[in-house]
Amino acid sequence: MKHAILTAALAAGVAMPLSASATDLEVTHWWTSGGEAAAVKVLADNFNETGNTWVDSAIAGSGTTANPIIVSRILGGNPMGATQMNTGRDAEELIKAGLMLDLTELAEKEDWASKIRPAKLLEACEYDGRIYCVPINIHSWQWMWLNRHVFEDNGIPVPTNWAELVEAAPKLEEAGVIPLATGQPWQVDGIRNVMQVAIGGVDNYLAVNGDKDPDAVMSDENRAIWEAFAQARTMVDDAYSGRDWNVATNMVIQGDAAAQIMGDWAQGEFAQAGQEAGVDYDCLPGLGNNPVLDTGGDAFYFPKTDDPEITAAQLELASMLVSPETQVEFNLVKGSLPVRGDVDLEAANACMKKGIEILANPENVLPSTEQLLDSDTQGQITDLALEFFSSDMSVDDAMERQKEIIEQAM
């Protein structure tokens, strides 16, 4: 195994003023949908304006596809200049192995601690008191997206919460509309994960994922989550398996499906389609039941290199990502919320304003499952959710399986 080595030259590079020299920097990410590609272009254009060159290296698929590729390249001694990962524990083992660039000096110089909110977002970049990543946005899974026209054209009240969508499902099916669009395994598990807060409540969410409390897994609140998840598996079409998330979003945009439970990144697809929040589509945080948001999102990490010019370019990119200009421009296109609270969001649409209002109350902010559970536990939960969703597994059996997983979680 070949590992990059932090040399004395690298250490000197971290301490130097930012370089003005032109450097090609390969950046890996998994933003490939229409809305995501438009957001990446914002970052690339802004970075190119520094005199460096953004060398785009998109990896098709979700983070579950891209993360193993990214980690393998870094461990194999072929690191990229920068890489997107989720804010959380995805890079923890790489940091422990000494393979990621320490950004602490830059973070202190630019006072990220007082500008990035909520504080837990930057804390997720910390290991042993040092900063190793740049949060680029606040993403939350806690949203349900609805095509208003599908309901209005069929004389069905537009749902304001999950229960009302379930009630409307038979009439939607009679009208030839799929009640709920979904797809790949991570999307299916996302439905269950959103229900953990929206149906089960904040206390149960934290007890199961944060405290790893087996009694919370076997509680009535957690039972209600699995029962709602069982309702969801009756509301999807037979061809859902393996469908890309943006394809599912487009089914809602086109009126082939009525709703989708998906993170706020779906908003970028509605924007690309020229649709207007509150007119063409609605967004219901917490499924309309429990308007709280987790605070996961995307972050950029910078693998260590022994090339001081690469290091200087990495630091320029890190600084640009957290700048007010980039934060506004990128997040308006991406359909996410900025990590800074001191930026102008006059142009924000109705859904983004809902998110900002929720975040204004710290009690509404939750840590994401990526921040609470390691990758292995997340994978086991995803496997269980997928098996349940694609079978007639009973709620009792699902709860027993989840209890076994949580009891072994770190």
Side-chain angles (χ1 to χ4, degrees), residues 350-390:
C351 292
M352 184 179 280
K353 287 177 179 175
K354 279 186 182 181
I356 293 169
E357 184 177 349
I358 292 170
L359 287 178
N361 182 351
E363 294 184 0
N364 293 336
V365 179
L366 296 175
S368 68
T369 51
E370 286 85 1
Q371 293 168 279
L372 298 173
L373 300 174
D374 59 34
S375 297
D376 180 60
T377 302
Q378 291 177 59
Q380 292 183 62
I381 295 290
T382 297
D383 290 344
L384 171 59
L386 185 64
E387 184 179 347
F388 178 87
F389 201 78
S390 61

Side-chain angles (χ1 to χ4, degrees), residues 323-333 338 343-345:
S323 69
E325 298 78 12
T326 297
Q327 279 293 305
V328 171
E329 192 176 355
F330 171 78
N331 284 294
L332 285 174
V333 177
V343 297
D344 181 9
L345 286 173

Side-chain angles (χ1 to χ4, degrees), residues 59-394:
I59 302 171
S62 66
T64 54
T65 300
N67 263 331
I69 297 172
I70 292 167
V71 171
S72 176
R73 280 192 53 183
I74 296 171
L75 290 177
N78 180 31
M80 61 296 295
T83 186
Q84 171 208 3
M85 298 180 99
N86 287 131
T87 306
R89 302 180 63 175
D90 284 352
E92 190 171 281
E93 295 303 316
L94 296 172
I95 295 169
K96 286 181 181 177
L99 298 175
M100 290 300 194
L101 182 63
D102 185 343
L103 303 172
T104 307
E105 185 175 330
L106 177 65
E108 291 177 348
K109 177 183 175 184
E110 298 187 346
D111 196 17
W112 292 359
S114 70
K115 295 172 181 172
I116 293 177
R117 58 75 203 258
K120 287 188 168 124
L121 212 56
L122 188 59
E123 289 170 5
C125 287
E126 291 183 12
Y127 181 77
D128 201 18
R130 311 296 290 180
I131 303 293
Y132 289 93
C133 71
V134 182
I136 181 69
N137 56 13
I138 301 172
H139 262 320
S140 171
W141 251 107
Q142 314 295 327
W143 298 84
M144 182 160 68
W145 306 87
L146 302 166
N147 182 320
R148 290 187 60 87
H149 302 302
V150 161
F151 296 93
E152 293 167 347
D153 293 349
N154 288 288
I156 305 171
V158 179
T160 61
N161 56 48
W162 171 253
E164 291 177 7
L165 177 66
V166 172
E167 184 179 351
K171 292 182 178 178
L172 290 166
E173 289 173 339
E174 287 176 12
V177 177
I178 300 165
L180 186 67
T182 190
Q184 297 146 323
W186 66 270
Q187 299 177 54
V188 173
D189 184 50
I191 295 173
R192 187 206 56 82
N193 195 31
V194 169
M195 288 176 169
Q196 279 202 317
V197 181
I199 306 294
V202 173
D203 290 345
N204 181 264
Y205 173 83
L206 294 176
V208 171
N209 297 306
D211 300 337
K212 284 83 173 176
D213 179 0
D215 291 336
V217 176
M218 302 306 292
S219 67
D220 291 342
E221 290 80 5
N222 201 50
R223 175 176 294 279
I225 296 165
W226 284 103
E227 288 175 346
F229 196 44
Q231 291 173 320
R233 68 183 174 186
T234 69
M235 296 164 61
V236 301
D237 61 307
D238 292 338
Y240 77 86
S241 181
R243 180 182 289 137
D244 288 338
W245 71 267
N246 53 310
V247 175
T249 304
N250 193 54
M251 291 170 64
V252 179
I253 292 171
Q254 297 299 323
D256 297 324
Q260 180 188 23
I261 296 174
M262 181 52 59
D264 50 10
W265 48 87
Q267 193 173 193
E269 303 304 300
F270 286 96
Q272 284 290 301
Q275 296 205 337
E276 183 178 349
V279 176
D280 301 304
Y281 68 95
D282 275 348
C283 52
L284 301 181
L287 307 186
N289 295 26
N290 204 347
V292 295
L293 299 178
D294 60 29
T295 52
D298 300 299
F300 276 89
Y301 289 81
F302 303 85
K304 279 183 180 177
T305 172
D306 56 3
D307 184 335
E309 292 188 356
I310 293 289
T311 303
Q314 289 174 318
L315 293 172
E316 282 195 87
L317 177 56
S319 178
M320 184 213 79
L321 292 172
V322 82
S323 69
E325 298 78 12
T326 297
Q327 279 293 305
V328 171
E329 192 176 355
F330 171 78
N331 284 294
L332 285 174
V333 177
K334 183 69 167 56
S336 48
L337 299 174
V339 299
R340 298 180 63 132
D342 59 345
V343 297
D344 181 9
L345 286 173
E346 187 63 29
N349 68 18
C351 292
M352 184 179 280
K353 287 177 179 175
K354 279 186 182 181
I356 293 169
E357 184 177 349
I358 292 170
L359 287 178
N361 182 351
E363 294 184 0
N364 293 336
V365 179
L366 296 175
S368 68
T369 51
E370 286 85 1
Q371 293 168 279
L372 298 173
L373 300 174
D374 59 34
S375 297
D376 180 60
T377 302
Q378 291 177 59
Q380 292 183 62
I381 295 290
T382 297
D383 290 344
L384 171 59
L386 185 64
E387 184 179 347
F388 178 87
F389 201 78
S390 61
S391 71
D392 59 357
M393 181 189 296
S394 71

